[in-house]
Amino acid sequence: MTSSITPFLSKKPPRAGVQRLYETPLLDLIFQAAQIHRAHHDPREIQMCRLLSIKTGGCPEDCGYCSQSVHNNTGLKKEPLMQVEAILQQAQAAKESGATRFCMGAAWREVKDGRAFDRVLDAVRGVRAMGMEACVTLGMLNEEQALRLKEAGLTAYNHNLDTSEKHYGNIVTTHTYQDRLRTIKAVSHAGISVCCGGIMGMGESDEDRIDFLHTLANLDPQPESVPVNALVPIEGTPLEKAQAFDLFSWLRVIAVARILMPKAMVRLSAGRLSLSREAQALAFLAGANAIFTGDKLLTTPNPESDIDSTLMQALGLIPRSPDKEESERRHAHG
Ligand code: SAM
Ligand code: DTB
Ligand code: SF4
């Protein structure tokens, strides 16, 4: 017997419904997710995104996975905030390599008004002028700062919940889950799309993954983009020896995210170097439709472009075209 599409697809799924989905036999779950994916997206298209660390290291926060925290002895070289011209040079190169979204990350606890923030706003304007989507991740921010980013044309703000509220305190102690939710609210209030996801493989349980998906899908509005990171264990961090994560749980998270947030872009983010081609193929089947390309994420390596293009060709997948971003934006603005 074949399974039917899950009947509840409400925007505010209850915890029990999320659990039921998560516990669906894996192949049924992937099948359902693939159906939802196909109803909302062109299943052959993958969005190519490029990341750039515009300010690296020296972050006062104590996130247990992160190479950039001053609390972690990772030997990472600190770099001050890049100049706008240098950022835009990288953005141009990203565009030429086929990226349609350019994401800039700064290792800050929070945004502070002043010259550094003004520089980021200029970089956002520059990226948008090139016709790419622009995303930034700058730590916590308030509503006024979010409005300034909106005015500069920012497409999305990345701020991850990373795991369940219950597990979060085991990973980070210098800010709270509620702090994260507050920033996400400020971003939505300013009319900027939210990019919010998590990391798999930080010693979380199935219950944590269900709680995390439940919180994510109940954000109002739901995230436009959901990055699913696989932990990259970094020497010198408390999570350097974290147990290898379970691939099937990772696939469950992708499939449930796709079903609960049908319109979102689900991004395979950090950790792809440790994932086989076959695992990534299953993730695309389960509804993942974006990857970060280029040989570097923020501070850690990523598959080389030719490895990714060979994989895409083998699977018959095509990069989402830049024209699509433009036409969807025009459509969104009426
Ligand atoms: N400081 C900002 C913040 O915390 O929101 C932005 C930068 S932070 C590097 C962005 C996200 O990258 C984190 O929330 C986490 O999901 C992901 N990340 C960082 N280090 C990672 C690692 N070692 N493995 C997997 N994901 C990681
Ligand atoms: C996200 O969830 N993943 C990206 C993006 N948002 C900013 C960052 C991944 C960083 C991986 C670790 C590193 O390269 O330092
Ligand atoms: Fe790393 Fe961001 Fe945490 Fe800073 S706030 S330690 S950059 S994840």
Side-chain angles (χ1 to χ4, degrees), residues 216-253:
L216 213 56
N218 277 277
L219 291 175
D220 188 14
Q222 288 191 331
E224 166 255 1
S225 154
V226 179
V228 181
N229 298 282
L231 177 72
V232 179
I234 293 169
E235 229 182 285
T237 65
L239 288 172
E240 69 174 306
K241 299 229 156 55
Q243 254 198 342
F245 82 116
D246 173 38
L247 203 62
F248 291 154
S249 311
W250 173 78
L251 280 170
R252 283 184 191 280
V253 169

Side-chain angles (χ1 to χ4, degrees), residues 65 106 108 137 139 159-160 162 180 199 229-232 234 270 298:
Y65 49 79
W108 288 331
T137 178
H159 203 64
N160 290 343
D162 281 327
R180 299 299 278 181
I199 307 180
N229 298 282
L231 177 72
V232 179
I234 293 169
L298 289 174

Side-chain angles (χ1 to χ4, degrees), residues 55 57-72 106-110 137-140 159 162 168 172 174-175 180 199 298:
K55 185 267 169 187
C59 183
E61 302 305 277
D62 70 353
C63 309
Y65 49 79
C66 189
S67 62
Q68 306 201 62
S69 162
V70 292
H71 302 266
N72 300 335
W108 288 331
R109 166 182 164 79
E110 64 210 324
T137 178
L138 313 170
M140 294 184 269
H159 203 64
D162 281 327
Y168 198 71
V172 185
T174 47
H175 57 256
R180 299 299 278 181
I199 307 180
L298 289 174

Side-chain angles (χ1 to χ4, degrees), residues 74-235:
T74 62
L76 182 75
K77 192 165 167 269
K78 267 176 70 171
E79 302 281 353
L81 182 64
M82 289 172 68
Q83 298 295 334
V84 177
E85 300 72 47
I87 298 173
L88 294 183
Q89 249 172 30
Q90 298 283 326
Q92 185 61 36
K95 183 177 172 174
E96 282 161 18
S97 76
T100 65
R101 184 165 171 121
F102 193 67
C103 308
M104 295 163 272
W108 288 331
R109 166 182 164 79
E110 64 210 324
V111 172
K112 295 203 178 89
D113 295 312
R115 293 211 336 244
F117 185 40
D118 293 346
R119 202 186 282 178
V120 174
L121 293 169
D122 283 341
V124 168
R125 285 187 202 99
V127 171
R128 296 296 288 117
M130 290 176 189
M132 277 189 292
E133 294 185 349
C135 179
V136 292
T137 178
L138 313 170
M140 294 184 269
L141 49 65
N142 61 36
E143 292 211 8
E144 206 178 293
Q145 293 162 337
L147 280 170
R148 293 186 67 198
L149 283 165
K150 172 72 185 170
E151 269 166 29
L154 187 73
T155 313
Y157 193 86
N158 168 247
H159 203 64
N160 290 343
L161 287 172
D162 281 327
T163 186
S164 68
E165 180 160 23
K166 199 150 36 83
H167 193 43
Y168 198 71
N170 301 328
I171 307 292
V172 185
T173 67
T174 47
H175 57 256
T176 64
Y177 212 68
Q178 290 306 318
D179 289 330
R180 299 299 278 181
L181 288 166
R182 208 171 303 122
T183 293
I184 291 168
K185 204 173 264 173
V187 170
S188 306
H189 277 179
I192 300 171
S193 294
V194 170
C195 168
C196 184
I199 307 180
M200 302 303 120
M202 299 197 294
E204 72 282 353
S205 61
D206 281 333
E207 202 172 288
D208 290 315
R209 286 186 276 264
I210 293 164
D211 284 343
F212 160 72
L213 287 161
H214 176 235
T215 309
L216 213 56
N218 277 277
L219 291 175
D220 188 14
Q222 288 191 331
E224 166 255 1
S225 154
V226 179
V228 181
N229 298 282
L231 177 72
V232 179
I234 293 169
E235 229 182 285

